[in-house]
Amino acid sequence: MSVREGAGGPANISTIDEFAKAVDYSLMDTLNPDPDATEDGNDFTPRQVFSGHYVPVKPTPIADPVYISHSQQFFRELRLDDSLALSEGFAKLFSGDITDVPAPMRKLGWATGYALSIFGNEYTEQCPFRTGNGYGDGRAVSVFEGVFNNQRWEMQLKGGGPTPYCRGADGRAVLRSSVREFLAQEYMHALGVPSTRSLSLFVSQSETVDRPWYSEGSRSENPDIMVSNPVAISTRVAPSFLRVGQLELFGRRARVGDRPNAMAELEMIVLHVIEREYKAQIDADLPMAEKILALATEFRDRLTDLVANWLRVGYCQGNFNSDNCAVGGFTIDYGPFGFCEYFDPYFQPWTGGGRHFSFFNQPLAAEKNFESFCSALKPLLQSTPEALEQLEQIIEGFSTVMEGKVSKMWATKLGLESLDSELFTQLLSLMMKTHVDYTILFRQLSSLPEDIAGISDSFYAAPNDELEEAWNEWLTSWREKFNPAKSHDEISNQMKRVNPKYTWREWLIVPAYENAKNGDFTLIHELQKILANPYDEQPEWVERKYNQLRPLEYFTAGGVSHYSCSS
């Protein structure tokens, strides 16, 4: 990375020209472009893409862009000066105009195709051609890949206009979904959960799109009106945006064998995944079969860690298809996501998600995605039967690894050295019978209460005498299982490091994006600061406003308690 040198070492990047010098297009330089792509990147009409790993395409700038915010924490990690976010060159680039980017940046972005599996079942119906050759990044355009502080990052515009994968849609993202994703990514990072990151957020002053949504006060399950929304572009950042669905696309093509270069393109993208996401873990000199087995093992480890963390913080992905599963093992695609407030093991914020993608079913959903991932690798192992057998063993071991990670996570949330299954089952039963708030309960448990009075703030309804007695008995049994070698202060502090005090409460996010429609971004900035420190005690006014039970009127409110994927 080229930066200005100062007396105290490298200075922060403050101009778009300095920013451009960090560019390094490993994906476009090592993988195959679509041979049918246009040379100028004006490739916005839905069409079948039969081969190649990406389509060079220009993003479509939003009209009259206005800066809303950027992630100051992430800027610091990248050594970007905050002033860069307010510069003209930055605003143009990250609102979709790459016509004048400085060298060595290119005046083309790229979009990628991928396949879709839902809970392990292969689908092609979402492709307009029913072939799987038209499904991919329909409104996400990557515009930058480079190295900052020896770490590679890819920057992608969400809502950057149509691509050949747009399936006839407009390629835009609305302000509502853009605000949610911008805030959620940095919140997840603050929680210690691997995630894509947020760079910046811009909104158009004049361009709008219509989307189905909920009328004020609606209790409808599905949207009941069409709403005009300002369009926005949020820039999300990750080491790569490679997904299980991408490997699946090339794995399916190699399996069918109707394209002469299908197997070669599968091998190329697998090697690219290793280079981008697992370079430090997988020896480049290993034979290909051993690399694949190492990749499957490493991805299994990351994916099980990720989902255990989701459960820890109350996160539900909502739509955990294979195309929403990053091969780097981090959270990606904040569409119909939500955080569990009122505890329900089958919590599912997305009206189209069903029980299979619900809160407690995420370990099984992850296993199905892992099976799809390994299925995509199998064509490369056909000549090595022993490696295929080893891959099957890695697949079969997923549930055991997942169960171990989840068990350890629950033990840690409860301040225990290991999980007592009977004690935990009793806890879940009490949580459901008492109607508790998931985050508030575990945070209050972190103070090691001796009786029910210490957790009563987490109850949505007052328990009867029988439940009070059951809770008190449980609390006594739980405290007896603490490690006697640790002080109660040690146990409490450890629990407070894994049980956040502040969670994502949708009814407190809605006013932020509603106010933003009128040009008031105050609540967005306020939420950024509060969600950046979810484990910390914060000022009394923050406590009163952001650490409370969901009001009754929001329990069945469309767009708050549940929502569609229209974004």
Side-chain angles (χ1 to χ4, degrees), residues 66-68 175-176 178-179 201 203-205 230-232 509-525:
V66 170
Y67 163 87
I68 293 179
L175 179 60
R176 174 186 64 250
S178 301
V179 168
L201 178 61
V203 65
S204 172
Q205 296 180 88
V231 301
I509 305 298
V510 172
Y513 63 67
E514 290 292 346
N515 289 359
K517 288 182 183 179
N518 301 317
D520 180 358
F521 310 135
T522 306
L523 279 178
I524 293 176
H525 300 151

Side-chain angles (χ1 to χ4, degrees), residues 342-484:
Y342 176 92
F343 176 67
D344 177 0
Y346 298 112
F347 165 65
Q348 164 59 280
W350 182 36
T351 56
R355 183 168 285 196
H356 54 288
F357 288 146
S358 62
F359 182 33
F360 268 27
N361 218 42
Q362 292 180 116
L364 183 54
E367 184 173 1
K368 296 297 183 182
N369 283 336
F370 185 69
E371 290 171 358
S372 297
F373 172 83
C374 291
S375 178
L377 301 175
K378 287 179 179 179
L380 296 174
L381 298 177
Q382 292 305 313
S383 61
T384 52
E386 66 280 4
L388 270 174
E389 176 58 32
Q390 288 178 266
L391 184 62
E392 290 295 343
Q393 292 173 7
I394 294 169
I395 296 170
E396 290 173 10
F398 186 94
S399 59
T400 301
V401 175
M402 185 81 255
E403 184 179 347
K405 299 275 183 74
V406 170
S407 179
K408 182 178 180 182
M409 177 276 297
W410 287 123
T412 304
K413 277 182 78 69
L414 289 169
L416 304 176
E417 300 300 312
S418 61
L419 188 65
D420 182 301
S421 58
E422 183 179 355
L423 186 79
F424 181 63
T425 301
Q426 291 169 353
L427 174 62
L428 292 181
S429 177
L430 287 170
M431 289 169 67
M432 294 180 70
K433 289 177 181 177
T434 320
H435 313 297
V436 303
D437 185 279
Y438 185 78
T439 299
I440 295 177
L441 173 69
F442 278 100
R443 185 66 177 199
Q444 291 196 312
L445 286 175
S446 301
S447 296
L448 313 188
E450 296 185 12
D451 57 41
I452 195 172
I455 56 173
S456 59
D457 286 349
S458 70
F459 298 163
Y460 281 95
N464 58 30
D465 291 345
E466 183 181 347
L467 272 176
E468 277 200 36
E469 183 179 352
W471 267 115
N472 285 330
E473 289 176 357
W474 185 88
L475 288 166
T476 299
S477 298
W478 166 59
R479 288 169 60 90
E480 289 173 351
K481 296 187 184 299
F482 292 160
N483 182 349

